[in-house]
Amino acid sequence: MSKNYVIGFPRIGEKRELKKALESFWEGGCEFSEVRKVAKELRKRHLLYQKNSKIEYISVNDFSFYDNMLDTALMINAVSKRFKGIEDKTELYFAMARGRDDLKALEMTKWFNTNYHYIVPELSENDEYRADISKIEEEYKEAKELGINPKINIIGPITFAALSKREDGGDTFEFFEKILRVYEDVVRKISKLDKEIILQIEEPIFVKDLNSKVLSLIKPSYDRLSKAADNIKIALITYFEHAKEAVKILVNTPVWAIGLDFVYGKENIEILNYFKNSDKVLIAGVVDGRNVWINDIEKSVKLLENISKYIPKQKIIPSTSCSLLHVPFTLKYEKRLDNKIKSMLSFAVEKLEELNLISKIFFEEKLDEKEEKALAKNKEAMKLKNSFSQKREDLKKKAENLSFDRELEFKDRIKIQHSILKYPILPTTTIGSFPQTKEIREVRRKFKDSLISKEEYEEAIKKYIDEAIAFQEEIGLDILVHGEPERGDMVEYFGSLLEGFAFSENGWVQSYGSRCVKPPLIYKEVYRKEPMTLKWITYAQSRTKKIVKGMLTGPVTILNWSFVRDDREKKDVAFEIALAIREEVEDLQNSGIKIIQVDEAAFKEGYPLREDKIKDYEKWAVESFKLSVSLAKPQTQIHTHMCYSDFNDIIKTIEAMDADVISIETARSGNELLKVFKRVGYTREIGPGVYDIHSPRIPSVEEMQKQIESFLEVLPKEQLWINPDCGLKTRKWKEVKESLKNMVKAAKRVRDS
Ligand code: GLN
Ligand code: ZN
């Protein structure tokens, strides 16, 4: 068997079995023992998938009922005060993950620049850490029973400390010593499980720009962890970027192997000479763990050969670039996907085969018949994939000489806009969507499955719009929306209408807990075939004398929430999408739509992990947005919306986007995070959310009045818009009606006071 290594495997199940079991348990539909049974079965299947694909280094403890950071917190007994009394382990686990009626859940945030969200542990001075490896032990035994000698995955102490927060305020590294000590205990306990064990310690934090304090912790930590038990070999794994600074230190520690990502950290190739006088094994991430396209096998083998100029072949283990958690499970169930497109794709299970092929070829082992076939198929598919990278000349032409800038500067535009739009001070509006009722979802589904005619479908959508418009007029909102009944998802909707996108049926990726997302696939050049929203927005506008705001999703958000081809620059794809949105903006404007909102909900998500790469991202991201709206006439008002509240780091970039109005998600942070707008002298108009739409609670008039008044302490009334903090599609009509009524009243009271 040739050597190869999988950093981690998806756990939600090929048919999202874990999701279903968990959700049934949460709703009281089954006992937890039932979930355990499903989980055990899944783990077994996942191990066998890997074993049968001839993977040598297979993980345990990559499974989780909710999240690995949460598991790590429990592995060392880092339980914040408010959960302390909960005896039952299962109850404690899910209380920390999801909260309880009487208890706030731990915070959740994005895992580096992926769309996976981890639970943020809360540490405090008085914590007493204790090593509990029962979960690891259980999974280790399961693997052994299947004849697998697994490696054991844990998140490293430095990453754990860096990503946790202090319950009592302050720096988590202040008591790093305590954390390290319990990790030593973990290592010792694990060492008892077998004669010899490989322990995969993941330190993805090493790919960020580390300060000297954190850097100084690396050597002592890994000296000590390596010495904690002599039958343990540590594989120190990094991913998502290069880890230059850390590698330089790690080669001088006793760790057995270092894992580097050569897909997303191309610079790692420049630091291979650090390995020269060391005995370290290199775990070489060459199979993309974050994207869904087939691997160019020849290219990967070449890359490995390149690496072997610095490191002897027998010290190299080909690997996935990161855990396969970030890609969908298998292509097996894709029945509707075009066969050509399908042949260009590789999900987790298919990546195992790729990895096996790559390592066999690299180590010059004979391929069996099946493998020969797979290799031939790969070559064919690569050809096909490359043939899809052709671009249309006419589109290229069209994109030349377009200006990123609008005709007039903001200060001149806004005067014209005020004279035409005539909205009052503190104008009220919403972010776009209204409740996605069961009926409207059903209408969309039936239309998609051809169970109802186009006429019936359009009637239903129009009826929804009619009601939405009537309601908004009735409560006296100033700027109306059509309510987005035709869209389920803000990216999928545009993707399904644009050329260049494809959709899998079962390409689910875990986003958090039991939640999964199914990102669209951008498999070739993107362009607009026909208007996408025009019909609905103009219909809505025809039903009222008030202004209806047109609603589009921005290019950066569409890009960041899709799987983009790995052989294309993101920037180029973003520009293509921008051109498509631009055409839509033009159509809307020409049809008399006076305000157009281009949502960039996921703008911040695409930020690179390394400081020195941020400028470049910001440049093309801003340019894409600007390109999509720059043909708006001075009198057309451009709005954007972002699902964030903290703009401290990116305020200049937000300003550079040059939107006339931005709505943001400040409802939970009061006016604190708004201050940055004042500090930099931001002059454009802002709609900070006056209430939190993520909860069913109906905010009172007084409460929102206070919120608005607190905004006014920071920003002048001429600059403020009044709106909820995000779209209302996840809410019920009853909540929305009451809340918005109160919101309009609150705005009136402040205006009149
Ligand atoms: N216009 C979208 C909506 O209201 C924005 C959604 C979002 O920001 N995620 O649903
Ligand atoms: Zn939002």
Side-chain angles (χ1 to χ4, degrees):
M1 192 155 74
S2 63
K3 288 183 296 180
N4 51 30
Y5 192 108
V6 170
I7 292 182
F9 203 68
R11 56 212 181 205
I12 203 80
E14 58 193 330
K15 291 189 160 163
R16 290 181 294 159
E17 292 90 337
L18 182 61
K19 172 195 175 70
K20 287 163 198 162
L22 279 171
E23 289 175 0
S24 156
F25 166 65
W26 292 334
E27 282 157 21
C30 69
E31 297 288 323
F32 194 62
S33 57
E34 193 55 40
V35 186
R36 278 194 178 285
K37 224 164 82 195
V38 171
K40 203 176 176 69
E41 189 51 42
L42 286 178
R43 288 196 295 259
K44 185 170 156 191
R45 243 194 271 157
H46 299 170
L47 288 169
L48 289 177
Y49 258 124
Q50 296 175 82
K51 185 180 177 201
N52 297 339
S53 302
K54 303 183 193 165
I55 301 302
E56 183 176 352
Y57 294 95
I58 301 175
S59 317
V60 293
N61 205 35
D62 53 352
F63 175 81
S64 179
F65 283 111
Y66 205 93
D67 166 56
N68 300 106
M69 273 294 276
L70 177 58
D71 295 339
T72 312
L74 288 164
M75 175 182 83
I76 65 169
N77 189 39
V79 176
S80 42
K81 243 198 313 233
R82 66 179 179 282
F83 302 106
K84 281 261 156 75
I86 307 178
E87 289 292 326
D88 182 78
K89 269 187 157 185
T90 308
E91 206 184 323
L92 173 66
Y93 187 83
F94 290 115
M96 289 170 82
R98 315 175 64 232
R100 244 177 25 183
D101 286 345
D102 54 334
L103 280 175
K104 218 171 85 227
L106 291 176
E107 212 178 276
M108 192 168 67
T109 193
K110 279 163 70 70
W111 181 245
F112 297 86
N113 55 0
T114 70
N115 212 345
Y116 177 78
H117 300 71
Y118 69 92
I119 297 285
V120 184
E122 287 172 8
L123 315 180
S124 89
E125 191 76 65
N126 303 324
D127 285 348
E128 279 172 36
Y129 300 133
R130 220 177 323 108
D132 173 0
I133 66 155
S134 51
K135 174 175 184 290
I136 294 172
E137 195 171 353
E138 182 185 355
E139 293 183 28
Y140 192 81
K141 284 191 178 142
E142 287 171 357
K144 288 296 262 194
E145 275 163 26
L146 297 173
I148 294 168
N149 256 328
K151 61 183 166 91
I152 294 171
N153 292 11
I154 59 174
I155 292 171
I158 301 182
T159 298
F160 180 78
L163 299 185
S164 295
K165 67 176 199 182
R166 278 281 290 272
E167 191 183 12
D168 47 359
D171 186 350
T172 47
F173 281 104
E174 261 170 42
F175 39 86
F176 183 69
E177 176 55 31
K178 234 167 51 174
I179 297 176
L180 190 58
R181 239 182 277 149
V182 70
Y183 264 83
E184 286 176 301
D185 244 6
V186 168
V187 173
R188 270 191 290 268
K189 283 196 170 162
I190 286 177
S191 76
K192 306 258 160 61
L193 295 178
D194 219 328
K195 285 200 296 292
E196 188 172 79
I197 291 173
I198 291 179
L199 179 59
Q200 167 173 312
I201 306 190
E202 294 172 41
E203 291 281 20
I205 201 72
F206 290 179
V207 307
K208 304 252 302 181
D209 303 298
L210 300 178
N211 60 34
S212 55
K213 199 174 117 203
V214 175
L215 277 174
S216 74
L217 294 175
I218 298 179
K219 179 145 169 59
S221 299
Y222 283 92
D223 281 346
R224 278 170 58 182
L225 291 177
S226 306
K227 279 176 202 139
D230 46 22
N231 62 337
I232 295 254
K233 295 206 281 189
I234 294 178
L236 188 293
I237 302 288
T238 67
Y239 38 78
F240 302 152
E241 251 294 354
H242 73 80
K244 281 188 182 174
E245 304 84 348
V247 173
K248 201 169 180 176
I249 302 169
L250 285 166
V251 290
N252 296 312
T253 67
V255 300
W256 163 66
I258 300 172
L260 299 178
D261 179 341
F262 290 93
V263 180
Y264 294 88
K266 298 233 161 34
E267 296 87 340
N268 277 326
I269 203 96
E270 298 158 18
I271 52 171
L272 295 175
N273 53 348
Y274 293 162
F275 284 75
K276 266 227 171 109
N277 297 314
S278 86
D279 56 347
K280 300 297 166 247
V281 164
L282 171 72
I283 295 165
V286 294
V287 170
D288 194 336
R290 294 184 60 168
N291 211 338
V292 292
W293 312 100
I294 46 164
N295 187 288
D296 187 338
I297 305 261
E298 254 173 81
K299 217 168 137 189
S300 292
V301 173
K302 257 199 208 119
L303 172 61
L304 287 167
E305 266 153 17
N306 221 347
I307 293 171
S308 70
K309 287 181 194 148
Y310 301 85
I311 298 172
K313 246 184 180 179
Q314 71 273 16
K315 293 252 177 229
I316 299 174
I317 307 178
S319 155
T320 56
S321 72
C322 61
S323 168
L324 296 174
L325 173 72
H326 307 290
V327 289
F329 201 102
T330 174
L331 283 165
K332 198 160 83 187
Y333 302 107
E334 297 303 327
K335 301 279 187 270
R336 286 197 217 167
L337 200 59
D338 178 271
N339 269 330
K340 278 187 182 162
I341 298 174
K342 191 169 157 185
S343 75
M344 290 155 49
L345 295 171
S346 170
F347 293 174
V349 169
E350 292 77 30
K351 283 174 193 284
L352 300 175
E353 186 179 64
E354 292 179 342
L355 184 58
N356 174 50
L357 274 180
I358 290 168
S359 53
K360 274 205 152 173
I361 299 171
F362 176 59
F363 291 116
E364 292 162 61
E365 282 170 34
K366 202 171 152 29
L367 303 187
D368 65 25
E369 209 176 308
K370 214 175 124 219
E371 289 160 343
E372 284 290 358
K373 264 203 189 132
L375 182 63
K377 204 176 130 216
N378 175 272
K379 283 191 181 147
E380 271 313 299
M382 272 316 293
K383 257 192 237 154
L384 181 76
K385 178 169 177 252
N386 291 334
S387 75
F388 273 102
S389 55
Q390 280 151 12
K391 307 235 296 168
R392 275 177 41 182
E393 281 306 313
D394 56 327
L395 288 176
K396 249 200 258 169
K397 278 244 156 58
K398 227 163 134 182
E400 281 164 16
N401 306 321
L402 292 179
S403 167
F404 294 126
D405 295 320
R406 293 180 63 182
E407 206 178 305
L408 293 181
E409 274 180 51
F410 172 74
K411 67 173 177 18
D412 301 320
R413 295 194 306 258
I414 195 70
K415 279 181 217 142
I416 303 175
Q417 289 166 15
H418 280 172
S419 72
I420 292 174
L421 302 173
K422 294 196 172 69
Y423 49 75
I425 58 158
L426 305 177
T428 52
T429 190
T430 61
I431 306 303
S433 59
F434 280 133
Q436 294 266 325
T437 55
K438 219 165 89 203
E439 297 77 49
I440 205 71
R441 281 209 204 101
E442 193 147 309
V443 164
R444 282 200 309 262
R445 200 184 49 242
K446 280 189 178 157
F447 180 53
K448 201 172 148 204
D449 295 343
S450 309
L451 296 173
I452 54 172
S453 69
K454 192 166 177 227
E455 288 71 33
E456 283 171 288
Y457 166 72
E458 295 194 345
E459 268 327 297
I461 299 287
K462 281 181 178 166
K463 182 166 163 271
Y464 183 104
I465 294 176
D466 286 344
E467 286 166 9
I469 294 286
F471 156 68
Q472 295 172 88
E473 283 192 328
E474 184 191 306
I475 64 166
L477 278 157
D478 297 307
I479 305 298
L480 314 192
V481 296
H482 78 298
E484 305 182 18
E486 79 286 15
R487 332 185 172 165
D489 175 272
M490 66 190 286
V491 169
E492 187 177 19
Y493 177 75
F494 288 92
S496 68
L497 294 171
L498 287 166
E499 188 65 34
F501 282 77
F503 295 86
S504 66
E505 277 168 89
N506 201 44
W508 297 101
V509 182
Q510 194 173 7
S511 171
Y512 66 88
S514 66
R515 280 287 281 270
C516 299
V517 293
K518 192 154 66 66
L521 314 158
I522 308 183
Y523 70 99
K524 61 170 193 177
E525 187 178 21
V526 177
Y527 54 90
R528 192 184 77 145
K529 289 174 285 193
E530 57 194 4
M532 302 178 285
T533 64
L534 189 63
K535 185 190 253 165
W536 305 125
I537 311 284
T538 50
Y539 175 75
Q541 185 62 85
S542 75
R543 310 298 285 173
T544 176
K545 289 205 173 58
K546 290 201 159 175
I547 295 170
V548 173
K549 173 163 74 164
M551 210 47 72
L552 305 173
T553 303
V556 184
T557 297
I558 293 180
L559 182 92
N560 283 343
W561 279 344
S562 300
F563 283 122
V564 181
R565 281 178 70 111
D566 51 0
D567 55 355
R568 298 210 54 200
E569 293 287 337
K570 281 193 169 172
K571 170 187 165 181
D572 295 337
V573 182
F575 276 26
E576 283 167 15
I577 305 171
L579 289 177
I581 300 298
R582 181 181 172 94
E583 289 176 9
E584 192 75 13
V585 168
E586 183 169 28
D587 281 348
L588 288 170
Q589 174 173 261
N590 290 343
S591 307
I593 301 303
K594 298 190 170 72
I595 301 184
I596 301 167
Q597 178 170 310
V598 179
D599 288 325
E600 284 294 15
F603 188 87
K604 213 173 163 185
E605 302 197 357
Y607 269 71
L609 296 170
R610 289 278 185 176
E611 223 40 76
D612 60 354
K613 294 182 180 169
I614 287 179
K615 255 214 167 88
D616 181 57
Y617 171 77
E618 286 181 331
K619 182 168 186 297
W620 65 253
V622 168
E623 282 176 354
S624 310
F625 179 82
K626 289 179 74 177
L627 193 58
S628 63
V629 298
S630 61
L631 56 61
K633 299 194 188 92
Q635 59 267 36
T636 303
Q637 188 167 65
I638 297 295
H639 289 212
T640 189
H641 166 72
M642 289 192 184
C643 298
Y644 305 104
S645 50
D646 190 352
F647 290 88
N648 279 296
D649 298 338
I650 59 168
I651 188 72
K652 285 282 160 204
T653 312
I654 299 302
E655 197 163 28
M657 288 169 75
D658 196 27
D660 299 308
V661 183
I662 180 174
S663 60
I664 59 177
E665 211 183 88
T666 34
R668 272 165 297 183
S669 50
N671 69 12
E672 197 42 48
L673 289 163
L674 214 54
K675 290 182 177 150
V676 59
F677 287 91
K678 181 178 183 174
R679 208 177 316 126
V680 300
Y682 189 87
T683 53
R684 295 161 178 78
E685 301 188 356
I686 311 172
V690 298
Y691 79 91
D692 175 15
I693 62 96
H694 305 87
S695 138
R697 227 183 114 251
I698 295 162
S700 67
V701 180
E702 290 71 29
E703 190 181 327
M704 286 190 275
Q705 185 180 349
K706 277 213 185 91
Q707 176 88 323
I708 297 170
E709 280 161 355
S710 86
F711 293 156
L712 286 169
E713 290 166 15
V714 181
L715 292 169
K717 58 182 186 307
E718 292 72 25
Q719 229 174 318
L720 269 193
W721 282 66
I722 306 302
N723 46 256
D725 73 346
C726 196
L728 297 162
K729 72 177 186 201
T730 56
R731 296 271 59 92
K732 302 229 158 32
W733 265 118
K734 195 169 159 302
E735 300 151 10
V736 165
K737 287 190 170 166
E738 290 303 312
S739 302
L740 289 180
K741 233 187 252 168
N742 289 353
M743 184 186 87
V744 172
K745 276 191 198 143
K748 278 213 176 88
R749 279 200 202 164
V750 180
R751 250 180 240 153
D752 297 342
S753 66

